[in-house]
Amino acid sequence: RGLGDVYKRQKLYLLFTRIKIFIMVQKSKASPVVCAFNIQTGGDNEFSVIYSIGAIVGNILTGEIYQSFYERVEHKQPGRSLSDDVKDEWEKIKGQAAHREVFDPKIPRKDLTLVLKLFNRFVLDNSGEDNPVGGVVHLLSTQSESQTSLLLHAMRQCNVEPSWQARYQDSLATLDYTYRLVFSEDPMESNPFVGTKKHAKFEAKHVFKTAHVIMRRLNEKMDLSAIL
């Protein structure tokens, strides 16, 4: 009976070890769920006035979209600035849907601090156990990291603590480079823009769809079945 007890303890030890390893692997595994976001602004630096924030949470491996976020922001933002170059860009599309979305005085808008808090909560609500596949949602911006810098600067200014860690901030740059390296073409050619340009909601969706197109094409070329 003594040997039987030892055998049972060994089996339990191996079982708990495997469970521990599984948990460690799951914790270290990157989540395919991203929060692709876009910010429309009145300037070209991190101090710029923010007009709107749009975001899409979805799985870039499957292309499934889970949640969306969109808020317009009041233009009165102390400490934030406009630039003549960006102002001219907006003037060029005066009368179009994107311009009306930003400048129509009849459209309701919210205080910047409130919008940042809502966005922060949106990211948090789609992480951890609420994430459809588990893990922390990764923020995904356009090729440039300027959008992330702008977002973080505004959050610091408004005393809003990000609900994510810096390691979970990504951009399309790496995926874009990989795609160009493998296919010798621009990924945008396989993913035409749908919707209204310079509209944060549609721009965010385009970022997400571009990331999904890249991952889908890479899977077709290289067979990524181990992670899909």
Side-chain angles (χ1 to χ4, degrees), residues 134-161:
V136 179
V137 67
H138 284 242
L139 262 68
L140 186 67
S141 61
T142 53
Q143 311 289 8
S144 170
E145 296 180 355
S146 60
Q147 292 253 308
T148 304
S149 297
L150 170 69
L151 175 64
L152 294 177
H153 180 273
M155 295 181 79
R156 287 194 299 269
Q157 184 188 43
C158 296
N159 295 314
V160 179
E161 185 69 25

Side-chain angles (χ1 to χ4, degrees), residues 46-227:
E46 63 181 15
F47 306 101
S48 301
V49 168
I50 293 175
Y51 291 145
S52 60
I53 301 178
I56 294 290
V57 167
N59 188 322
I60 59 171
L61 298 183
T62 65
E64 186 177 0
I65 292 176
Y66 303 129
Q67 300 286 342
S68 63
F69 175 94
Y70 180 68
E71 292 290 351
R72 308 175 191 90
V73 187
E74 292 178 352
H75 292 194
K76 188 177 181 181
Q77 300 171 25
R80 309 199 69 78
S81 62
L82 303 171
S83 74
D84 291 335
D85 290 344
V86 176
K87 182 179 179 181
D88 291 341
E89 290 178 11
W90 283 110
E91 282 297 311
K92 290 177 182 177
I93 62 169
K94 192 171 183 177
Q96 297 181 22
H99 187 276
R100 290 194 299 272
E101 187 70 15
V102 169
F103 297 103
D104 189 340
K106 297 179 182 178
I107 296 178
R109 307 177 195 286
K110 295 177 181 176
D111 175 73
L112 176 60
T113 300
L114 175 58
V115 171
L116 292 172
K117 287 180 177 179
L118 291 172
F119 177 76
N120 206 33
R121 184 68 194 183
F122 174 75
V123 175
L124 181 63
D125 286 346
N126 284 282
S127 292
E129 294 180 357
D130 293 322
N131 186 319
V133 298
V136 179
V137 67
H138 284 242
L139 262 68
L140 186 67
S141 61
T142 53
Q143 311 289 8
S144 170
E145 296 180 355
S146 60
Q147 292 253 308
T148 304
S149 297
L150 170 69
L151 175 64
L152 294 177
H153 180 273
M155 295 181 79
R156 287 194 299 269
Q157 184 188 43
C158 296
N159 295 314
V160 179
E161 185 69 25
S163 59
W164 62 90
Q165 299 177 20
R167 63 180 294 194
Y168 299 116
Q169 297 166 182
D170 302 294
S171 77
L172 279 176
T174 302
L175 286 176
D176 178 80
Y177 171 74
T178 304
Y179 188 94
R180 291 170 184 270
L181 190 65
V182 174
F183 298 105
S184 301
E185 66 181 47
D186 187 339
M188 298 301 179
E189 295 177 3
S190 302
N191 183 40
F193 194 96
V194 177
T196 304
K197 289 189 176 182
K198 291 188 71 64
H199 188 303
K201 179 171 63 178
F202 294 103
E203 293 283 359
K205 190 171 184 178
H206 186 64
V207 171
F208 172 79
K209 290 185 69 177
T210 300
H212 170 57
V213 165
I214 291 174
M215 294 305 298
R216 189 190 70 219
R217 289 289 309 280
L218 287 175
N219 177 47
E220 293 170 354
K221 180 79 172 179
M222 306 168 70
D223 186 14
L224 305 178
S225 56
I227 64 172

